[in-house]
Amino acid sequence: MKSPVDLHIHSCLSPCADDDMTPWNIVGMAKLKGLAAVAVCDHNSARNLPAACKAGREYGVCVLPGIEVTSREDVHLLCYFETLSQAMDMGMRIEREQPHIKNKPELFGHQILVDEDDTFLGEAEHLLLAACNLSISDLAQAAWELGGVMVPAHINKGANSLLPVLGMLPENIALPTVEIFRTVPHRAAGKLCLHASDAHTLVDIREAEDACVLELQELTPAALIQVLRKGKGET
Ligand SMILES: [Zn+2]
Ligand SMILES: [Zn+2]
């Protein structure tokens, strides 16, 4: 089935996102906008994903668990997983590899943690924007071994993006799928190219008519992961 998806949305846990971007608000808005699936991808943390997944079940929207990881090279990489527990495992690994710099909410923004029912739990203490001590290649391997896939984010955008930082797509790392920043024209030969909102506010979440459309066997995280792992290839 052809499914409109927005696979890059930040919750209120990301300091740069609005405080009303709670997981339940995001998924509710996605439902209103007619999206079949969304991925909530906070910077370097999976801690608001239990709420996103529960909201997905309640609203009937497929929620793909994700994290936008900042690699050692300062490149943003979306890591997607079939299950919440795989994403939580990856989140724990990222946290172990992050420097413990205290967040300054007045400077960077709040990092709001919620429980699975969207109730305020507190704030993440360490700044989630800091790069972790894992390379692009480490992260690709870790995501793949957990059963997920790494998709470089907004590869043609500017700072924190694969092409400006490396100057090319690395050939020694399997990258079946990439995310393109759509206002800059780009084609990545041989890759499945996604586009997404990278929304930090509720209004920025894509409308179904303007969303990336994927052909899915069924509307599940497993089917999404299968498409992203396959890319344009045969296997
Ligand atoms: Zn990014
Ligand atoms: Zn982002």
Side-chain angles (χ1 to χ4, degrees):
M1 67 189 85
K2 290 203 181 305
S3 308
V5 303
D6 188 349
L7 299 183
H8 186 166
I9 300 173
H10 290 267
S11 91
C12 51
L13 179 53
S14 296
C16 36
D18 278 3
D19 293 350
D20 65 358
M21 287 291 273
T22 68
W24 283 71
N25 283 351
I26 290 169
V27 180
M29 185 59 90
K31 175 93 181 167
L32 286 174
K33 293 191 174 203
L35 294 170
V38 291
V40 171
C41 305
D42 284 310
H43 289 292
N44 302 298
S45 179
R47 288 184 183 252
N48 272 356
L49 291 179
C53 292
K54 186 168 180 184
R57 290 192 296 276
E58 290 291 323
Y59 286 117
V61 174
C62 176
V63 172
L64 181 67
I67 308 173
E68 184 174 20
V69 184
T70 312
S71 75
R72 190 192 289 156
E73 301 89 344
D74 248 333
V75 171
H76 287 187
L77 304 155
L78 299 159
C79 294
Y80 296 117
F81 299 94
E82 202 175 308
T83 68
L84 176 60
S85 73
Q86 291 168 351
M88 299 303 278
D89 282 354
M90 186 75 169
M92 305 259 276
R93 174 137 190 227
I94 303 304
E95 281 183 30
R96 284 198 299 273
E97 300 290 346
Q98 263 212 316
H100 286 176
I101 303 165
K102 217 171 157 29
N103 183 32
K104 291 183 182 150
E106 65 287 0
L107 206 61
F108 299 111
H110 293 285
Q111 301 185 146
I112 297 169
L113 289 160
V114 295
D115 71 7
E116 63 172 10
D117 295 311
D118 236 17
T119 308
F120 178 78
L121 283 178
E123 289 202 38
E125 197 182 340
H126 299 126
L127 180 63
L128 295 172
L129 294 175
C132 74
N133 191 28
L134 293 167
S135 68
I136 298 169
S137 156
D138 293 337
L139 289 160
Q141 193 181 347
W144 195 272
E145 283 174 2
L146 279 165
V149 62
M150 184 190 85
V151 173
H154 44 67
I155 60 165
N156 52 331
K157 190 175 172 190
N160 303 122
S161 307
L162 191 70
L163 287 175
V165 172
L166 296 190
M168 55 180 278
L169 288 170
E171 283 175 8
N172 58 336
I173 305 172
L175 297 171
T177 303
V178 296
E179 186 201 68
I180 302 293
F181 181 58
R182 210 162 54 142
T183 54
V184 182
H186 186 83
R187 267 210 191 99
K191 310 284 183 191
L192 172 63
C193 295
L194 304 179
H195 61 87
S197 66
D198 198 358
H200 289 67
T201 64
L202 288 167
V203 292
D204 284 342
I205 295 170
R206 282 275 155 83
E207 302 279 349
E209 305 75 58
D210 195 32
C212 184
V213 174
L214 293 177
E215 178 69 40
L216 298 173
Q217 297 269 357
E218 55 179 27
L219 200 51
T220 60
L224 277 163
I225 290 292
Q226 196 185 15
V227 165
L228 302 181
R229 280 175 74 123
K230 185 176 173 194
K232 282 194 166 173
E234 295 304 313
T235 51

